[in-house]
Amino acid sequence: MKPCHCKDYTRSAILREAAANAGGGLRAIEPGMPLPAGTGLSRRAFLARSTGLALAVFGGAALAPAAWDEGIAAAAAAAPDAPVVVSVFMSGGADSLSMLAPVGDSRYASLRPSLAVGAGGGLFGEDARLAWHPQLAPIRALHEAGKVTVIPAIGYDHPNQSHFTSRHFWEVGELNPVGRVGWMGRYLDKHGAADNPLQGLSLDYSLAPSLAAGTVPVAAVGSPEYYRLWTRDVWNIEADVAARYGALGAIPETDPELAAARSAVRRTIALQEQLKPLSTRSPEWAPPASYPEGTFARRLAVLAEMLAMGLPLRCVALDANGGYDTHDGQAGSLPGMLGQFAQSIAAFQADLEARGLADRVLLHVWSEFGRRPQQNGSGTDHGAAGLSFLIGTQVKGTMIGEFPGLATLDPQGNLRNTSDFRHVYKHIVQDWLGVDATGIIPDAAKFTTPLALFK
């Protein structure tokens, strides 16, 4: 097979923007590719009084922003210990055969004469044929501590090697190119709130399609650390003003409508008080874990703080650092990206544990596919089965599925999958979020074998 130079992924930003049919606020796509989930959703800018966050809110068009503000505060008070899913996307198709290198497979060295990774990163304890990439040492340490479930060959039958199409399948939770609601969006439609846009939060300037909901509002925010307490035409709200509003909210009231309004004020002011440290921190402020440099690490650090301050987040999505479409120069680019990724993830986990939040947060790391076992020269082309991680203190920490080996590849010469991503989604919904996956993962009934993902 001739090397793929990935024309559907590496065109100029101008062409991407011109070709995007999804509308404002969604990822750009190429002509002919599936429209992202969320296409057609209304988008409104919103600066929440209760949090000071400048949000792009998608959906929930029937509600006024004041209702969202009250909904955020009410949701924060109602379920402070609710489970949270954090979806981390390794964009571009991360090379699973470098991340967990099959050093014990006789074909590996011949398929990758210059790109094969040695065993210097340490053997993977659950399958001695595999070895960790040296730059993934922080992930290896978490795995050895029982905090990482590894899925070494995940995908779906009849894999599609287009970035856009394969990613779309993962985002909507089904093999449906016309799906318009993300898998986490469907969960929020069934079990979320009509007035809490923070329940589905994309840490980006565009909405992650996996969060796109059909009936409830969700949001995107690119720089949450820059929030401030704000109100229209008033740039500096003094503490005594907030206190006066809080006092008004505490006044007893026999009229049901006034009582409800004052209750909303009370919840809003309480949430503002919780969030003050984020806007007033000193230049010397530092999280309780050491994060590396970079946007990915910064967003994880702020996410940990947002959770600690009681924001009613339920499903969060963000992109990992880098772009993993390594057709060329893989030996030079991949190690650094993996190192920053692993350090960022490990710092986030340590941060959650230091704050006492780790038992309620699950990280789900995924990529749209893996890379071909045979190198194309200095890189690797689009493959099929890839690697996924579930990370947290409550994961089982044991491998799901088996590594199929390189002796028998699929008809296109790619790694065969031994786990289906929809099967994993079913158990995240069912066992982590604690609700029936029927109607959330459309093909849930097909996957009858239990998966022990959590303790």
Side-chain angles (χ1 to χ4, degrees), residues 155-246:
Y156 53 91
D157 293 338
H158 312 296
N160 188 299
Q161 293 177 43
S162 159
H163 290 286
F164 299 101
T165 302
S166 189
R167 184 180 73 197
H168 177 81
F169 291 161
W170 281 78
E171 288 166 343
V172 299
E174 57 178 329
L175 306 186
N176 178 7
V178 298
R180 293 292 177 268
V181 178
W183 73 277
M184 290 189 287
R186 280 196 296 273
Y187 161 71
L188 294 172
D189 280 337
K190 282 180 169 286
H191 303 283
D195 54 2
N196 172 24
L198 291 184
Q199 62 199 332
L201 184 64
S202 179
L203 291 179
D204 200 342
Y205 293 100
S206 62
L207 178 67
S210 58
L211 292 170
T215 60
V216 301
V218 292
V221 55
S223 298
E225 71 274 34
Y226 297 132
Y227 97 97
R228 58 191 169 84
L229 191 60
W230 178 91
T231 190
R232 189 179 187 85
D233 300 323
V234 180
W235 296 99
N236 293 295
I237 296 182
E238 301 296 337
D240 65 327
V241 176
R244 289 176 189 273
Y245 275 108

Side-chain angles (χ1 to χ4, degrees), residues 314-358:
R314 300 294 176 261
C315 299
V316 180
L318 71 162
D319 285 359
N321 61 291
Y324 294 84
D325 195 30
T326 51
H327 290 286
D328 306 292
Q330 179 169 313
S333 63
L334 185 61
M337 290 190 295
L338 291 181
Q340 188 178 45
F341 162 79
Q343 293 167 34
S344 301
I345 292 289
F348 181 63
Q349 183 62 32
D351 197 345
L352 294 177
E353 292 179 21
R355 297 176 188 271
L357 299 169

